[in-house]
Amino acid sequence: MNRVISVEQDLELLANLAARLLETPVATITLYDRNDDGGADLLDTISHVATSCDKSWAAGHPGIDIKQLGSPRSAMTQHLGLYASVPIRNGNGSTIGMVACADDDARDLGDEQLEILKHISAIASAVTRA
């Protein structure tokens, strides 16, 4: 099996799991271009986005750019009630991406949900190294 396709499928499954466990209509897993020199705009450095998005939620929010959830700074301009994200780190501790979730409801994630987000990030890191 082509490993690149498998990684993309694994990340899609993780995004779906995150949305379900966090009870949010949107969850994304974003990987940044590893060749970025740090000078480019973050949105230009995104190499893959795995997304779980409720279709009815997306239809009701045509102005929301889901890809911007990979950048906390950009996501904050989306006027969401809930936005939470955790970095994906490589073995050296460098940030290589982001796991994020969003919702209309203004709420904070509970401790258990934050731990779930961290675990999804750790799994995504392992998947990208495999």
Side-chain angles (χ1 to χ4, degrees):
M1 176 187 274
N2 184 338
R3 185 66 195 140
V4 172
I5 292 172
S6 181
V7 168
E8 289 180 8
Q9 290 171 342
D10 291 346
L11 293 176
E12 291 289 336
L13 290 170
L14 280 172
N16 288 327
L17 180 63
R20 177 173 284 173
L21 292 175
L22 299 172
E23 300 174 348
T24 60
V26 181
T28 64
I29 299 176
T30 304
L31 296 180
Y32 304 140
D33 184 353
R34 295 175 191 199
N35 297 324
D36 178 33
D37 64 4
D41 182 8
L42 183 60
L43 293 178
D44 293 335
T45 66
I46 292 173
S47 62
H48 179 74
V49 177
T51 304
S52 175
C53 186
D54 179 86
K55 289 180 184 180
S56 63
W57 188 89
H61 298 80
I64 301 291
D65 184 353
I66 301 301
K67 287 187 177 185
Q68 287 192 2
L69 296 182
S71 166
R73 182 176 50 212
S74 297
M76 298 312 287
T77 66
Q78 299 291 308
H79 306 291
L80 297 161
L82 165 70
Y83 173 77
S85 64
V86 173
I88 301 169
R89 302 200 187 275
N90 65 12
N92 299 328
S94 297
T95 299
I96 61 168
M98 193 71 62
V99 177
C101 65
D103 196 353
D104 288 331
D105 298 332
R107 63 182 170 100
D108 292 326
L109 294 181
D111 291 340
E112 186 175 301
Q113 289 177 312
L114 287 173
E115 284 301 311
I116 289 169
L117 200 57
K118 291 176 186 177
H119 288 299
I120 296 289
S121 174
I123 294 168
S125 176
V127 164
T128 61
R129 285 188 251 165

Short mmCIF file of all heavy atoms in Angstrom, two decimals, residues 86-129:
data_model
loop_
_atom_site.label_atom_id
_atom_site.label_comp_id
_atom_site.label_asym_id
_atom_site.label_seq_id
_atom_site.Cartn_x
_atom_site.Cartn_y
_atom_site.Cartn_z
N VAL A 86 -4.02 22.17 19.56
CA VAL A 86 -2.83 21.63 20.20
C VAL A 86 -1.80 21.39 19.09
O VAL A 86 -2.15 20.84 18.04
CB VAL A 86 -3.14 20.31 20.94
CG1 VAL A 86 -1.88 19.64 21.45
CG2 VAL A 86 -4.11 20.54 22.08
N PRO A 87 -0.55 21.79 19.30
CA PRO A 87 0.45 21.56 18.26
C PRO A 87 0.79 20.08 18.11
O PRO A 87 0.73 19.32 19.07
CB PRO A 87 1.66 22.35 18.74
CG PRO A 87 1.47 22.53 20.19
CD PRO A 87 -0.01 22.51 20.45
N ILE A 88 1.14 19.71 16.89
CA ILE A 88 1.71 18.39 16.62
C ILE A 88 3.21 18.61 16.55
O ILE A 88 3.68 19.48 15.83
CB ILE A 88 1.21 17.83 15.27
CG1 ILE A 88 -0.31 17.71 15.26
CG2 ILE A 88 1.86 16.48 14.98
CD1 ILE A 88 -0.89 17.41 13.89
N ARG A 89 3.96 17.84 17.33
CA ARG A 89 5.41 18.01 17.38
C ARG A 89 6.13 16.77 16.86
O ARG A 89 5.63 15.67 17.00
CB ARG A 89 5.84 18.30 18.81
CG ARG A 89 5.15 19.54 19.37
CD ARG A 89 5.90 20.11 20.54
NE ARG A 89 5.18 21.18 21.17
CZ ARG A 89 5.22 22.45 20.79
NH1 ARG A 89 5.94 22.80 19.76
NH2 ARG A 89 4.55 23.37 21.44
N ASN A 90 7.28 17.01 16.27
CA ASN A 90 8.08 15.87 15.82
C ASN A 90 8.97 15.39 16.97
O ASN A 90 8.87 15.91 18.09
CB ASN A 90 8.91 16.24 14.58
CG ASN A 90 9.95 17.31 14.85
OD1 ASN A 90 10.26 17.67 15.99
ND2 ASN A 90 10.50 17.85 13.78
N GLY A 91 9.82 14.43 16.71
CA GLY A 91 10.69 13.87 17.74
C GLY A 91 11.65 14.87 18.35
O GLY A 91 12.13 14.68 19.47
N ASN A 92 11.95 15.96 17.64
CA ASN A 92 12.85 17.00 18.14
C ASN A 92 12.12 18.07 18.94
O ASN A 92 12.74 19.00 19.43
CB ASN A 92 13.59 17.67 16.98
CG ASN A 92 14.44 16.70 16.21
OD1 ASN A 92 14.96 15.75 16.77
ND2 ASN A 92 14.55 16.93 14.92
N GLY A 93 10.80 17.97 18.99
CA GLY A 93 10.01 18.96 19.70
C GLY A 93 9.55 20.14 18.85
O GLY A 93 8.88 21.04 19.35
N SER A 94 9.91 20.14 17.57
CA SER A 94 9.49 21.22 16.68
C SER A 94 8.03 21.03 16.28
O SER A 94 7.57 19.91 16.09
CB SER A 94 10.34 21.23 15.41
OG SER A 94 11.68 21.47 15.72
N THR A 95 7.32 22.14 16.15
CA THR A 95 5.93 22.08 15.73
C THR A 95 5.87 21.78 14.24
O THR A 95 6.47 22.49 13.43
CB THR A 95 5.21 23.41 16.01
OG1 THR A 95 5.26 23.66 17.42
CG2 THR A 95 3.77 23.38 15.54
N ILE A 96 5.17 20.70 13.90
CA ILE A 96 5.02 20.31 12.48
C ILE A 96 3.57 20.41 12.02
O ILE A 96 3.28 20.16 10.86
CB ILE A 96 5.55 18.88 12.24
CG1 ILE A 96 4.76 17.85 13.07
CG2 ILE A 96 7.04 18.81 12.51
CD1 ILE A 96 5.02 16.42 12.67
N GLY A 97 2.67 20.79 12.92
CA GLY A 97 1.27 20.91 12.55
C GLY A 97 0.41 21.27 13.73
O GLY A 97 0.90 21.67 14.79
N MET A 98 -0.90 21.09 13.54
CA MET A 98 -1.87 21.48 14.56
C MET A 98 -3.11 20.59 14.47
O MET A 98 -3.56 20.27 13.38
CB MET A 98 -2.27 22.94 14.30
CG MET A 98 -3.03 23.60 15.41
SD MET A 98 -2.01 23.95 16.86
CE MET A 98 -0.79 25.08 16.22
N VAL A 99 -3.62 20.20 15.63
CA VAL A 99 -4.93 19.56 15.72
C VAL A 99 -5.85 20.61 16.32
O VAL A 99 -5.52 21.22 17.34
CB VAL A 99 -4.91 18.31 16.63
CG1 VAL A 99 -6.31 17.72 16.76
CG2 VAL A 99 -3.94 17.27 16.11
N ALA A 100 -6.98 20.86 15.67
CA ALA A 100 -7.88 21.91 16.14
C ALA A 100 -9.33 21.46 16.05
O ALA A 100 -9.68 20.58 15.25
CB ALA A 100 -7.69 23.17 15.30
N CYS A 101 -10.17 22.09 16.87
CA CYS A 101 -11.61 21.86 16.79
C CYS A 101 -12.31 23.19 16.94
O CYS A 101 -11.76 24.14 17.48
CB CYS A 101 -12.07 20.86 17.85
SG CYS A 101 -11.86 21.42 19.54
N ALA A 102 -13.55 23.24 16.44
CA ALA A 102 -14.31 24.49 16.48
C ALA A 102 -15.79 24.19 16.59
O ALA A 102 -16.26 23.11 16.22
CB ALA A 102 -14.04 25.31 15.22
N ASP A 103 -16.52 25.18 17.10
CA ASP A 103 -17.97 25.08 17.26
C ASP A 103 -18.53 26.49 17.39
O ASP A 103 -17.79 27.44 17.66
CB ASP A 103 -18.30 24.25 18.49
CG ASP A 103 -19.73 23.76 18.54
OD1 ASP A 103 -20.55 24.15 17.68
OD2 ASP A 103 -20.05 22.97 19.44
N ASP A 104 -19.83 26.62 17.21
CA ASP A 104 -20.51 27.90 17.43
C ASP A 104 -20.68 28.21 18.90
O ASP A 104 -20.63 29.36 19.32
CB ASP A 104 -21.90 27.89 16.80
CG ASP A 104 -21.85 27.94 15.30
OD1 ASP A 104 -20.91 28.50 14.74
OD2 ASP A 104 -22.78 27.40 14.68
N ASP A 105 -20.94 27.17 19.68
CA ASP A 105 -21.23 27.34 21.09
C ASP A 105 -20.00 27.87 21.83
O ASP A 105 -18.93 27.26 21.80
CB ASP A 105 -21.67 26.02 21.73
CG ASP A 105 -22.95 25.48 21.12
OD1 ASP A 105 -23.76 26.30 20.63
OD2 ASP A 105 -23.13 24.25 21.13
N ALA A 106 -20.19 29.00 22.51
CA ALA A 106 -19.11 29.56 23.31
C ALA A 106 -18.95 28.72 24.57
O ALA A 106 -19.82 28.71 25.43
CB ALA A 106 -19.42 31.01 23.67
N ARG A 107 -17.87 27.95 24.59
CA ARG A 107 -17.60 27.08 25.74
C ARG A 107 -16.12 26.75 25.75
O ARG A 107 -15.42 26.95 24.77
CB ARG A 107 -18.41 25.80 25.67
CG ARG A 107 -18.09 24.92 24.47
CD ARG A 107 -18.97 23.67 24.43
NE ARG A 107 -18.83 22.95 23.18
CZ ARG A 107 -18.08 21.87 23.02
NH1 ARG A 107 -17.40 21.39 24.04
NH2 ARG A 107 -18.01 21.26 21.85
N ASP A 108 -15.67 26.29 26.87
CA ASP A 108 -14.30 25.80 26.99
C ASP A 108 -14.35 24.30 26.99
O ASP A 108 -15.32 23.70 27.46
CB ASP A 108 -13.67 26.28 28.31
CG ASP A 108 -13.44 27.78 28.33
OD1 ASP A 108 -13.15 28.35 27.27
OD2 ASP A 108 -13.55 28.37 29.42
N LEU A 109 -13.30 23.69 26.49
CA LEU A 109 -13.19 22.23 26.60
C LEU A 109 -12.85 21.88 28.04
O LEU A 109 -12.09 22.59 28.70
CB LEU A 109 -12.08 21.71 25.67
CG LEU A 109 -12.30 21.86 24.17
CD1 LEU A 109 -11.13 21.25 23.41
CD2 LEU A 109 -13.60 21.20 23.73
N GLY A 110 -13.42 20.79 28.51
CA GLY A 110 -13.10 20.31 29.84
C GLY A 110 -11.72 19.66 29.86
O GLY A 110 -11.11 19.42 28.81
N ASP A 111 -11.23 19.36 31.05
CA ASP A 111 -9.91 18.73 31.19
C ASP A 111 -9.81 17.44 30.40
O ASP A 111 -8.81 17.18 29.74
CB ASP A 111 -9.60 18.47 32.67
CG ASP A 111 -9.38 19.76 33.46
OD1 ASP A 111 -9.10 20.80 32.84
OD2 ASP A 111 -9.49 19.71 34.70
N GLU A 112 -10.85 16.62 30.46
CA GLU A 112 -10.85 15.35 29.74
C GLU A 112 -10.78 15.57 28.22
O GLU A 112 -10.05 14.88 27.51
CB GLU A 112 -12.09 14.53 30.10
CG GLU A 112 -12.09 13.14 29.52
CD GLU A 112 -13.28 12.33 29.99
OE1 GLU A 112 -13.42 12.15 31.22
OE2 GLU A 112 -14.05 11.90 29.12
N GLN A 113 -11.52 16.55 27.74
CA GLN A 113 -11.51 16.85 26.31
C GLN A 113 -10.15 17.42 25.87
O GLN A 113 -9.67 17.11 24.79
CB GLN A 113 -12.64 17.79 25.94
CG GLN A 113 -14.00 17.14 26.03
CD GLN A 113 -15.12 18.11 25.72
OE1 GLN A 113 -15.15 19.22 26.25
NE2 GLN A 113 -16.03 17.69 24.85
N LEU A 114 -9.53 18.24 26.72
CA LEU A 114 -8.19 18.74 26.39
C LEU A 114 -7.18 17.60 26.32
O LEU A 114 -6.31 17.60 25.45
CB LEU A 114 -7.75 19.78 27.42
CG LEU A 114 -8.43 21.14 27.32
CD1 LEU A 114 -8.04 22.03 28.49
CD2 LEU A 114 -8.10 21.81 26.00
N GLU A 115 -7.32 16.63 27.21
CA GLU A 115 -6.44 15.45 27.16
C GLU A 115 -6.67 14.67 25.88
O GLU A 115 -5.71 14.18 25.27
CB GLU A 115 -6.65 14.56 28.39
CG GLU A 115 -6.01 15.11 29.65
CD GLU A 115 -4.51 15.31 29.52
OE1 GLU A 115 -3.81 14.38 29.06
OE2 GLU A 115 -4.03 16.41 29.87
N ILE A 116 -7.91 14.55 25.45
CA ILE A 116 -8.21 13.87 24.19
C ILE A 116 -7.53 14.60 23.03
O ILE A 116 -6.90 13.97 22.18
CB ILE A 116 -9.74 13.79 23.96
CG1 ILE A 116 -10.36 12.79 24.94
CG2 ILE A 116 -10.06 13.42 22.51
CD1 ILE A 116 -11.88 12.83 24.99
N LEU A 117 -7.62 15.92 23.01
CA LEU A 117 -6.98 16.70 21.95
C LEU A 117 -5.46 16.46 21.95
O LEU A 117 -4.85 16.29 20.89
CB LEU A 117 -7.30 18.18 22.16
CG LEU A 117 -7.15 19.13 20.99
CD1 LEU A 117 -7.99 18.71 19.80
CD2 LEU A 117 -7.53 20.54 21.43
N LYS A 118 -4.86 16.40 23.12
CA LYS A 118 -3.42 16.13 23.22
C LYS A 118 -3.09 14.73 22.74
O LYS A 118 -2.06 14.52 22.06
CB LYS A 118 -2.95 16.32 24.67
CG LYS A 118 -2.97 17.76 25.12
CD LYS A 118 -2.59 17.87 26.58
CE LYS A 118 -2.76 19.28 27.09
NZ LYS A 118 -2.48 19.38 28.54
N HIS A 119 -3.92 13.76 23.06
CA HIS A 119 -3.68 12.38 22.61
C HIS A 119 -3.82 12.27 21.09
O HIS A 119 -3.02 11.57 20.45
CB HIS A 119 -4.63 11.40 23.31
CG HIS A 119 -4.30 11.17 24.74
ND1 HIS A 119 -3.11 10.64 25.17
CD2 HIS A 119 -5.02 11.40 25.86
CE1 HIS A 119 -3.10 10.56 26.48
NE2 HIS A 119 -4.25 11.02 26.93
N ILE A 120 -4.81 12.94 20.52
CA ILE A 120 -4.97 12.93 19.06
C ILE A 120 -3.72 13.54 18.42
O ILE A 120 -3.21 13.03 17.41
CB ILE A 120 -6.24 13.70 18.63
CG1 ILE A 120 -7.51 13.02 19.16
CG2 ILE A 120 -6.28 13.89 17.12
CD1 ILE A 120 -7.87 11.72 18.50
N SER A 121 -3.19 14.60 19.00
CA SER A 121 -1.98 15.22 18.49
C SER A 121 -0.79 14.26 18.55
O SER A 121 -0.02 14.16 17.59
CB SER A 121 -1.65 16.48 19.31
OG SER A 121 -0.42 17.02 18.93
N ALA A 122 -0.65 13.53 19.64
CA ALA A 122 0.45 12.57 19.78
C ALA A 122 0.31 11.44 18.75
O ALA A 122 1.31 11.01 18.15
CB ALA A 122 0.47 11.99 21.19
N ILE A 123 -0.91 10.99 18.52
CA ILE A 123 -1.14 9.93 17.53
C ILE A 123 -0.82 10.47 16.13
O ILE A 123 -0.18 9.77 15.33
CB ILE A 123 -2.58 9.38 17.62
CG1 ILE A 123 -2.80 8.68 18.96
CG2 ILE A 123 -2.84 8.42 16.46
CD1 ILE A 123 -4.25 8.37 19.26
N ALA A 124 -1.25 11.69 15.84
CA ALA A 124 -0.97 12.28 14.53
C ALA A 124 0.54 12.40 14.32
O ALA A 124 1.05 12.14 13.22
CB ALA A 124 -1.64 13.65 14.40
N SER A 125 1.27 12.75 15.36
CA SER A 125 2.72 12.83 15.27
C SER A 125 3.32 11.46 14.95
O SER A 125 4.18 11.33 14.08
CB SER A 125 3.31 13.36 16.59
OG SER A 125 4.71 13.36 16.54
N ALA A 126 2.83 10.43 15.62
CA ALA A 126 3.32 9.08 15.37
C ALA A 126 2.98 8.62 13.96
O ALA A 126 3.81 7.97 13.29
CB ALA A 126 2.74 8.12 16.40
N VAL A 127 1.80 8.93 13.49
CA VAL A 127 1.37 8.53 12.14
C VAL A 127 2.28 9.17 11.08
O VAL A 127 2.64 8.51 10.11
CB VAL A 127 -0.11 8.92 11.90
CG1 VAL A 127 -0.47 8.90 10.42
CG2 VAL A 127 -1.03 8.02 12.68
N THR A 128 2.66 10.41 11.28
CA THR A 128 3.48 11.09 10.28
C THR A 128 4.92 10.58 10.28
O THR A 128 5.61 10.71 9.28
CB THR A 128 3.51 12.63 10.49
OG1 THR A 128 4.07 12.93 11.77
CG2 THR A 128 2.11 13.19 10.36
N ARG A 129 5.34 9.97 11.37
CA ARG A 129 6.71 9.42 11.44
C ARG A 129 6.79 7.99 10.94
O ARG A 129 7.86 7.51 10.66
CB ARG A 129 7.22 9.46 12.87
CG ARG A 129 7.62 10.83 13.30
CD ARG A 129 8.28 10.78 14.62
NE ARG A 129 7.36 11.37 15.59
CZ ARG A 129 7.47 11.25 16.89
NH1 ARG A 129 8.42 10.54 17.40
NH2 ARG A 129 6.60 11.83 17.67
#
